[in-house]
Amino acid sequence: MRFELNANSILTGAFSASEGQGEAVLTLSAEVGAERNIEAAARLGMRREGASVVRLEGENANDLAAQAVRGYFHGAFRISKDAIRGLKDVYAQRDALCDYGPGALCIDCDSDVAEGIRAGLTLARCEGYARMLGTLPNNFLHVRQMADYIRHMAADCGLTCRVLGDGELKMLGCGGILAVNQGSDAPAALAVLEWRPSDGAPVALVGKGVMFDAGGYHLKNLDGMNGMQSDMCGAATVTETMEYIARTGASRPVIAVLPLVENVISAKSVKMGDVITTLSGRTVEVYNTDAEGRLILCDALTYAQRMGAKDVADIATLTYGCQSALGDETGGWFCNDEAVSRSFERLIGKTGEPFWRLPLHERYHRALKWSEVADLGNYAPGYGAAASTAACFLEEFIEPGTRWLHLDIVGPATRRGGCDAECKGARGFGLSTLVGLVQA
């Protein structure tokens, strides 16, 4: 059978099927592995012209079809410069912002793989939206615009949504979120999404949403500030993971907690040496204003646990130490539960997204307990092991009995240079992994 798809397919889900096959330019098989299959299909998508024929061989044909579709449209994706011109409403114009070009994908297979194609199209569509959100300039996507996007998406997909503003955050005592956003003229927000198909404790997904990170008073240099509109890729990925769940279904309840701020300089900005009280009640001395992501995440993690979550995963562009250790292609992961760790190891072999485990240890916790005036410092000066100390800072806010997974994606969150399989900008990295995690 032959299945034919084009840019309209990713927006509508429609594709055609017919008898007959042709000469393939690419063959995918399960033996090669998901990561290599997706990358090969993405190279075809990068052409953005003509019809590319992919042949599926061997077992797991529906999985291969999903990989072909996801990869092809990942490669074809561009953000539309024309749509950015005069942009007013990101959600209303999101399909125009995602440009997949005039090319077409033909999938040849001896069996019916319509189910896999549909799954691949939905995943590719949500991944494209996450990439669009992570790439848009900050002046088009600030805290308010991101909160509006989340509200509209939730209403369209049947998710419950609540957005807490500055007043509610102050009443709750979310000192971490409020401190990071102190320098901004615009209020912070905490967006909460819920998918409740059944009773029971939810799985919680937490995504870092620093809409722009100048570093605060520890100001980044020119190279360091370049691309900092993408410091909200964790929140973008979680937002679109929730859309995928709502459109395809998940048997388990899932909640998303998304702290939205910007980290900039003004007379009101948080300063080195300030002590803040977090939602958990624990106090933190700010040593480095550019170690802000952990300050908003600790409040979000506490909030998720107060909503009853016993399984919590967070995803964040958190530390350049993780990028230094693992490079631009691989994310770091940390976990406090060995059963969850074994399950996650199996999962990442199937998603096509490379992750590598890094350590949590008491020695890293001790490195954060140097302050004379607070329970913790937000940084471990002179210690090194930046990814592990940041992860252990977050672990300080994980309650006994909570199974917790932390994904640090500074390296693979964005494509910084040229590549033959994708354009520059946000990559939607982690979405497939989070989908697999909640659907396991």
Side-chain angles (χ1 to χ4, degrees):
M1 297 184 68
R2 165 163 289 188
F3 300 85
E4 298 183 12
L5 307 85
N6 55 30
N8 187 58
S9 301
I10 202 168
L11 303 179
T12 65
F15 55 91
S16 63
S18 62
E19 297 296 331
Q21 298 179 8
E23 183 177 352
V25 295
L26 174 67
T27 299
L28 303 185
S29 67
E31 288 75 16
V32 173
E35 183 180 350
R36 290 175 63 186
N37 281 336
I38 292 166
E39 186 174 343
R43 290 193 185 97
L44 289 183
M46 281 285 283
R47 300 176 182 179
R48 289 168 55 91
E49 61 183 10
S52 298
V53 181
V54 176
R55 170 75 184 168
L56 310 182
E57 289 189 350
E59 300 177 348
N60 305 318
N62 272 303
D63 290 343
L64 293 175
Q67 292 164 19
V69 171
R70 176 186 161 201
Y72 178 85
F73 286 108
H74 186 93
F77 173 88
R78 305 288 187 277
I79 192 162
S80 170
K81 295 179 183 179
D82 289 338
I84 289 177
R85 188 179 296 113
L87 178 61
K88 300 295 184 184
D89 185 326
V90 176
Y91 188 79
Q93 296 170 253
R94 65 179 187 163
D95 288 333
L97 286 163
C98 297
D99 175 12
Y100 295 95
L105 172 65
C106 299
I107 296 177
D108 288 354
C109 186
D110 293 335
S111 58
D112 186 348
V113 291
E115 179 183 348
I117 290 173
R118 282 190 288 269
L121 282 170
T122 306
L123 189 61
R125 183 182 182 188
C126 291
E127 185 179 79
Y129 292 149
R131 295 174 74 184
M132 175 271 295
L133 291 170
T135 304
L136 274 179
N138 176 243
N139 60 317
F140 291 106
L141 191 67
H142 202 287
V143 169
R144 180 180 61 80
Q145 289 92 337
M146 183 66 179
D148 286 345
Y149 181 98
I150 292 167
R151 285 192 189 96
H152 291 310
M153 183 276 289
D156 279 356
C157 296
L159 294 165
T160 301
C161 178
R162 183 184 180 196
V163 178
L164 286 66
D166 266 4
E168 290 168 293
L169 293 173
K170 289 174 184 175
M171 288 179 62
L172 282 172
C174 294
I177 294 171
L178 292 167
V180 172
N181 199 64
Q182 260 176 229
S184 176
D185 289 336
L190 184 69
V192 182
L193 294 167
E194 298 183 57
W195 167 259
R196 300 272 189 179
S198 60
D199 295 331
V203 177
L205 304 178
V206 175
K208 174 187 170 185
V210 178
M211 305 306 295
F212 190 85
D213 181 17
Y217 272 114
H218 288 116
L219 188 68
K220 296 178 185 291
N221 63 21
L222 185 65
D223 288 340
M225 206 180 299
N226 183 31
M228 281 297 106
Q229 75 273 16
S230 298
D231 206 22
M232 46 68 73
C233 280
T237 295
V238 170
T239 297
E240 288 308 319
T241 298
M242 294 299 289
E243 176 165 0
Y244 182 91
I245 289 167
R247 294 193 182 280
T248 62
S251 58
R252 306 168 71 184
V254 185
I255 61 173
V257 182
L258 306 167
L260 307 176
V261 300
E262 72 171 2
N263 186 28
V264 295
I265 293 178
S266 77
K268 299 179 292 181
S269 297
V270 68
K271 299 176 290 296
M272 186 177 186
D274 285 357
V275 173
I276 62 176
T277 302
T278 65
L279 178 58
S280 71
R282 305 195 73 186
T283 55
V284 179
E285 180 176 347
V286 178
Y287 182 87
N288 183 353
T289 64
D290 198 21
E292 84 298 330
R294 64 201 72 181
L295 296 177
I296 68 172
L297 288 173
C298 71
D299 280 350
L301 289 167
T302 299
Y303 193 93
Q305 290 169 100
R306 289 186 180 181
M307 290 185 70
K310 294 298 182 183
D311 293 280
V312 180
D314 73 75
I315 184 167
T317 48
L318 200 63
T319 67
Y320 280 101
C322 192
Q323 182 193 26
S324 296
L326 300 177
D328 287 342
E329 305 293 334
T330 303
W333 69 276
F334 304 78
C335 188
N336 70 346
D337 183 275
E338 288 310 308
V340 173
S341 295
R342 289 190 294 271
S343 176
F344 189 71
E345 288 270 18
R346 292 190 295 270
L347 171 65
I348 57 179
K350 303 174 183 176
T351 63
E353 294 178 322
F355 282 94
W356 193 262
R357 190 175 190 180
L358 294 172
L360 299 166
H361 196 279
E362 180 57 32
R363 67 175 67 95
Y364 304 125
H365 286 269
R366 290 196 299 267
L368 294 161
K369 296 176 181 177
W370 48 262
S371 176
E372 297 294 330
V373 291
D375 297 323
L376 296 165
N378 80 323
Y379 198 72
Y383 193 83
S388 286
T389 54
C392 286
F393 178 90
L394 297 180
E395 192 179 21
E396 290 283 337
F397 299 87
I398 301 301
E399 299 166 5
T402 298
R403 294 170 292 274
W404 167 67
L405 178 70
H406 164 56
L407 306 179
D408 190 335
I409 61 166
V410 164
T414 59
R415 174 62 65 188
R416 295 167 177 83
C419 175
D420 65 353
E422 64 186 352
C423 64
K424 289 176 65 175
R427 301 177 66 206
F429 188 86
L431 194 150
S432 179
T433 299
L434 292 183
V435 166
L437 190 68
V438 300
Q439 292 187 333

